[in-house]
């Protein structure tokens, strides 16, 4: 997992992922169409890793943005590293490819660069993204993650995705996959919430020991709350400038220890599924 001169990291399957990415989650208070505008600005600024998911319901807008920047000559498809995610209602092995193909159709892409299992828990299949029972709790589905992973491997073999990984997995979930009999491809990445208040140090050490990249989201906090009254475009540009400045200096060991001291095991996100179903544990609890 060496950092290359073009600011990319080689994953355990030999494919390379850019070190900085642009996430396309859009809260319900913001029109989904804003995602298209923001993604275009991100590409113009230089972001090449675009991260989305089936559950975000922004894939059509992301696809339009990427195709528009291809059409105007800014990029080629191969310049973009696109990450998509398998939603929890598609964990049954016969549904995995269906979810992927629906996403590809919305994006109008031939393939994804990276496809992740979005969460380790499974939910009842059907049209509802968050199926609720009469008790107002999520309806959990009993699916063997080994079978889900085998279906992910089949998608890679079919050429629909180039790399496969996971998101929000704990060490125990990762061990479940890594110890699967007949494992063909191990996860290249585990994408989790990671920032100074939730540093994921134990999970990071485990991932490193197994040649799995720990990819952080919410690294600058969450954008789910209004900030400064500025437009999304201006905030994106400012954030991008600060991110690129991160490559111009190195932190000392003392600096790193100081940052580690901020850890509070605090999450910016609400994991209601864990409160409703205690058998599923939050993403960095071991």
């Amino acid at each position: 997992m060496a950092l290359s001169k073009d600011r990319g990291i080689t994953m355990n399957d030999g494919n390379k992922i850019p070190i900085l990415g642009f996430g396309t989650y859009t809260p319900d208070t913001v029109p989904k169409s804003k995602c298209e505008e923001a993604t275009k600005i991100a590409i113009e600024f230089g972001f090449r890793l675009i991260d989305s998911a089936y559950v975000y319901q922004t894939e059509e807008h992301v696809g339009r943005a990427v195709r528009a920047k291809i059409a105007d000559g800014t990029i080629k498809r191969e310049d973009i590293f696109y990450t998509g995610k398998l939603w929890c209602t598609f964990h049954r092995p016969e549904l995995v490819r269906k979810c992927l193909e629906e996403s590809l159709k919305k994006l109008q892409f031939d393939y994804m660069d990276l496809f992740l299992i979005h969460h380790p828990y499974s939910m009842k299949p059907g049209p509802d993204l968050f199926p609720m029972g009469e008790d107002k709790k999520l309806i959990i589905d009993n699916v063997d993650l080994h079978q889900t992973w085998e279906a992910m491997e089949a998608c890679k073999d079919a050429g629909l995705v180039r790399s496969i990984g996971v998101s929000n997995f704990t060490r125990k979930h990762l061990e479940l996959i890594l110890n699967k009999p007949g494992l063909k491809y191990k996860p290249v990445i585990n994408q989790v919430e990671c920032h100074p208040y939730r540093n994921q140090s134990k999970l990071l050490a485990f991932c490193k020991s197994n040649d799995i990249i720990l990819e952080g989201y919410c690294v600058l906090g969450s954008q789910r709350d209004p900030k400064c009254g500025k437009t999304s475009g201006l905030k994106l540009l400012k954030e991008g400038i600060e991110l690129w400045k991160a490559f111009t200096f190195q932190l000392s060991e003392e600096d790193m220890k100081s940052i580690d001291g901020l850890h509070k095991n605090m999450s910016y996100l609400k994991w209601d599924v864990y409160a409703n179903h205690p058998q599923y544990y939050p993403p960095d609890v071991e």
Side-chain angles (χ1 to χ4, degrees):
M1 295 187 293
L3 177 63
S4 66
K5 293 181 179 179
D6 58 354
R7 294 172 183 166
I9 299 176
T10 300
M11 301 180 290
N12 63 44
D13 64 355
N15 293 326
K16 189 182 296 182
I17 183 171
I19 197 168
L20 291 177
F22 177 72
T24 61
Y25 169 82
T26 305
D28 293 337
T29 54
V30 177
K32 301 296 183 185
S33 58
K34 291 291 185 181
C35 182
E36 181 176 347
E37 174 191 357
T39 302
K40 286 179 182 177
I41 295 172
I43 292 172
E44 290 167 0
F45 191 80
F47 283 92
R48 294 297 179 260
L49 193 171
I50 306 297
D51 181 286
S52 192
Y54 183 94
V55 74
Y56 295 172
Q57 298 181 286
T58 57
E59 291 170 314
E60 292 181 9
H61 305 289
V62 172
R64 279 201 294 268
V66 172
R67 295 196 307 277
K69 301 319 293 179
I70 291 174
D72 70 12
T74 302
I75 54 169
K76 298 177 181 178
R77 169 62 183 93
E78 56 266 30
D79 296 328
I80 291 295
F81 187 102
Y82 179 82
T83 299
K85 304 182 189 77
L86 176 77
W87 185 234
C88 305
T89 55
F90 291 89
H91 279 193
R92 294 184 184 183
E94 67 272 17
L95 298 178
V96 171
R97 182 163 175 163
K98 180 177 184 290
C99 179
L100 173 59
E101 289 178 336
E102 285 187 18
S103 291
L104 290 173
K105 184 177 180 180
K106 293 175 185 176
L107 292 158
Q108 294 188 34
F109 289 175
D110 295 326
Y111 67 93
M112 286 186 190
D113 297 275
L114 177 61
F115 192 43
L116 308 177
I117 298 179
H118 203 151
H119 288 279
Y121 54 83
S122 309
M123 294 192 288
K124 177 185 175 182
D128 296 331
L129 292 173
F130 297 92
M132 294 285 183
E134 293 182 359
D135 58 0
K136 304 300 181 182
K137 293 184 178 181
L138 289 168
I139 303 175
I140 297 300
D141 195 26
N142 184 23
V143 180
D144 183 352
L145 278 178
H146 284 176
Q147 295 182 348
T148 305
W149 187 253
E150 287 176 0
M152 296 281 287
E153 292 177 324
C155 289
K156 176 176 169 68
D157 286 338
L160 297 175
V161 298
R162 295 188 170 175
S163 298
I164 53 176
V166 297
S167 180
N168 300 305
F169 270 44
T170 66
R171 172 173 178 164
K172 291 179 180 178
H173 292 125
L174 286 171
E175 288 176 334
L176 182 69
I177 300 298
L178 293 172
N179 295 330
K180 187 184 86 68
L183 180 68
K184 190 170 187 179
Y185 307 115
K186 68 179 181 178
V188 296
I189 269 175
N190 184 21
Q191 186 187 98
V192 297
E193 182 181 355
C194 186
H195 45 75
Y197 295 149
R198 193 182 186 93
N199 64 26
Q200 302 280 19
S201 58
K202 292 181 180 179
L203 186 59
L204 174 60
F206 178 79
C207 287
K208 279 185 175 181
S209 69
N210 286 277
D211 198 21
I212 297 171
I213 294 172
L214 189 141
E215 181 183 27
Y217 62 78
C218 290
V219 294
L220 298 179
S222 173
Q223 295 295 319
R224 287 160 175 78
D225 299 320
K227 291 190 177 182
C228 311
K230 302 299 183 181
T231 67
S232 59
L234 286 174
K235 287 188 287 185
L236 170 65
L237 290 174
K238 176 63 175 175
E239 178 179 309
I241 291 170
E242 296 305 316
L243 287 172
W244 253 264
K245 284 182 179 178
F247 292 104
T248 64
F249 69 95
Q250 290 184 335
L251 294 175
S252 67
E253 185 175 344
E254 184 178 344
D255 291 331
M256 291 299 295
K257 287 181 180 179
S258 177
I259 293 172
D260 284 343
L262 298 174
H263 176 67
K264 302 176 182 177
N265 200 30
M266 186 195 91
S267 174
Y268 286 105
L269 310 179
K270 294 180 180 179
W271 300 95
D272 294 335
V273 68
Y274 298 113
N276 292 339
H277 301 276
Q279 69 269 35
Y280 297 100
Y281 23 79
D284 66 351
V285 174
E286 298 180 3

